[in-house]
Amino acid sequence: MPAQDGRIYLVTGGTSGIGYESAKALAAAGAHVIIAARNPQRGQEAIERIRQEMPDAQLQFEALDLADLASVKALATRLDSTLPHLDGLINNAGLMEPAERGTSADGLEIQFAVNYLGHFALTEELLPLLQKADNPRVVTLSSIAARARGAAINFADLQFEQDYDASLAYRQSKLACLMFALELQRRSDVAGWGITSIASHPGVSYTNLLPSQGRSLPPLPFLFQTAAQGAIPTLYAATAPDAIGGRYYGPTGLMEVRGPLGLARVPANALDAQAVARLWSVSETLSRTHYPSSPLAD
Ligand SMILES: NC(=O)c1ccc[n+]([C@@H]2O[C@H](COP(=O)([O-])OP(=O)(O)OC[C@H]3O[C@@H](n4cnc5c(N)ncnc54)[C@H](OP(=O)(O)O)[C@@H]3O)[C@@H](O)[C@H]2O)c1
């Protein structure tokens, strides 16, 4: 990774797993890293763990609950009045397949709200701060789940109110993240927002994502990656001079579950221009945000 001195990154979900490893690696390269997540104690513990290895690491914790749009807005307002610029936003936080259908403070299905819509809103709110940086990047985490069987944007029942299926709701949320990352680049190009937007995924990596929901990964550790390995595509997307806007990076071995970094397969669903436009419009309505308009962007 090139030296990151003077650059400021915000990593959502930086208290654990891939977000923690991303925050740590960015800090090691000299960046100022803001770890944003729900629990200040877990935030402090993450910072202390990193500082045990790197006493001079520049880290700060900011409270963010992506399941509450008021919390998203409050974070953006705080950062707007304290940061000179934001060089990188890493839309990483997430949860996976709660057995019972949960809802956000705004009444939305919890995986859609946290994994996708909160990040959609956060990115819009932070756009002015990103635009103050040289070469600002937004990296949004998707998943191989976005191209798993049944992965689709379920416009007829976007919030899975009628027939809750935890896996399909997770797949929808990660497909939405991928569509968002690619569309953000397209709109930025058309409207001149000056943002580089890239999608990434970690293959399958051992983190708290599954056990936190009371389940465990299959006992095949040799198949999967460590959280640090899983962070590589995100870190590449966030910092590599040759990472390209509008691309999707991930591991390229064994069905993209692990292996060397490269371009990830983009499912056809993610390229359906009509669905992408509809999702964007619905997301602006649901999140009560409006990206800068451009007659050519829609
Ligand atoms: N692990 C994998 O194999 C895998 C595969 C494909 C994609 N991914 C994606 O990778 C990303 C990171 O997952 P991970 O595996 O590192 O999971 P993890 O270890 O469970 O970490 C999830 C992070 O998200 C934060 N978070 C959860 N709910 C939040 C909320 N409402 N508001 C703000 N932050 C919240 C958690 O922080 P607090 O609890 O402290 O708030 C935690 O830091 C996710 O987007 C996931 O979909 C992971």
Side-chain angles (χ1 to χ4, degrees):
M1 190 192 303
Q4 298 295 315
D5 302 82
R7 290 179 70 81
I8 305 173
Y9 289 86
L10 170 65
V11 183
T12 69
T15 53
S16 145
I18 291 145
Y20 171 80
E21 293 296 340
S22 302
K24 184 175 161 185
L26 288 167
H32 179 116
V33 182
I34 300 162
I35 290 176
R38 288 167 298 182
N39 185 326
Q41 194 185 326
R42 273 165 58 81
Q44 219 34 58
E45 284 164 10
I47 287 176
E48 277 162 27
R49 255 191 299 155
I50 296 173
R51 288 222 173 105
Q52 274 168 13
E53 286 179 48
M54 292 172 249
D56 297 331
Q58 298 174 65
L59 297 157
Q60 91 188 55
F61 174 79
E62 289 290 340
L64 167 68
D65 185 356
L66 287 156
D68 182 352
L69 290 165
S71 167
V72 171
K73 193 169 181 47
L75 172 63
T77 304
R78 286 200 306 282
L79 294 182
D80 211 31
S81 61
T82 50
L83 293 185
H85 50 86
L86 182 63
D87 297 275
L89 168 62
I90 301 189
N91 289 326
N92 161 86
L95 82 163
M96 184 180 180
E97 301 183 10
E100 301 292 324
R101 179 179 178 276
T103 50
S104 70
D106 310 282
L108 305 169
E109 191 277 323
I110 194 79
Q111 298 180 88
F112 182 85
V114 172
N115 299 356
Y116 167 63
L117 197 74
H119 287 124
F120 179 92
L122 182 65
T123 305
E124 191 276 339
E125 299 276 0
L126 291 175
L127 214 50
L129 211 44
L130 285 160
Q131 286 171 323
K132 289 183 185 164
D134 291 334
N135 186 23
R137 294 194 191 183
V138 177
V139 181
T140 302
L141 271 82
S142 184
S143 166
I144 52 175
R147 60 175 176 76
R149 194 148 45 91
I153 306 300
N154 184 10
F155 286 110
D157 185 18
L158 204 54
Q159 306 306 326
F160 282 86
E161 285 165 305
Q162 288 152 30
D163 190 11
Y164 179 64
D165 180 315
S167 297
L168 289 182
Y170 181 72
R171 289 170 194 176
Q172 169 177 270
S173 73
K174 300 315 288 189
L175 176 62
C177 287
L178 180 55
M179 290 163 116
F180 166 62
L182 306 185
E183 180 66 359
L184 181 63
Q185 182 64 60
R186 191 191 73 79
R187 291 194 180 228
S188 179
D189 288 345
V190 171
W193 297 339
I195 301 294
T196 296
S197 170
I198 303 178
S200 68
H201 79 89
V204 179
S205 306
Y206 274 107
T207 67
N208 290 331
L209 197 68
L210 290 183
S212 67
Q213 305 306 329
R215 279 169 282 157
S216 54
L217 286 165
L220 299 168
F222 56 92
L223 284 183
F224 302 132
Q225 311 209 95
T226 62
Q229 289 170 323
I232 290 172
T234 291
L235 291 166
Y236 178 81
T239 66
D242 50 357
I244 300 169
R247 297 290 168 92
Y248 181 29
Y249 294 98
T252 55
L254 190 72
M255 298 182 298
E256 301 188 336
V257 159
R258 64 182 176 139
L261 171 78
L263 286 173
R265 267 189 285 164
V266 178
N269 270 355
L271 301 171
D272 176 341
Q274 236 181 335
V276 168
R278 187 172 173 190
L279 178 66
W280 191 280
S281 164
V282 169
S283 302
E284 285 194 329
T285 303
L286 290 175
S287 64
R288 303 184 295 278
T289 54
H290 292 285
Y291 279 77
S293 58
S294 153
L296 294 174
D298 296 316

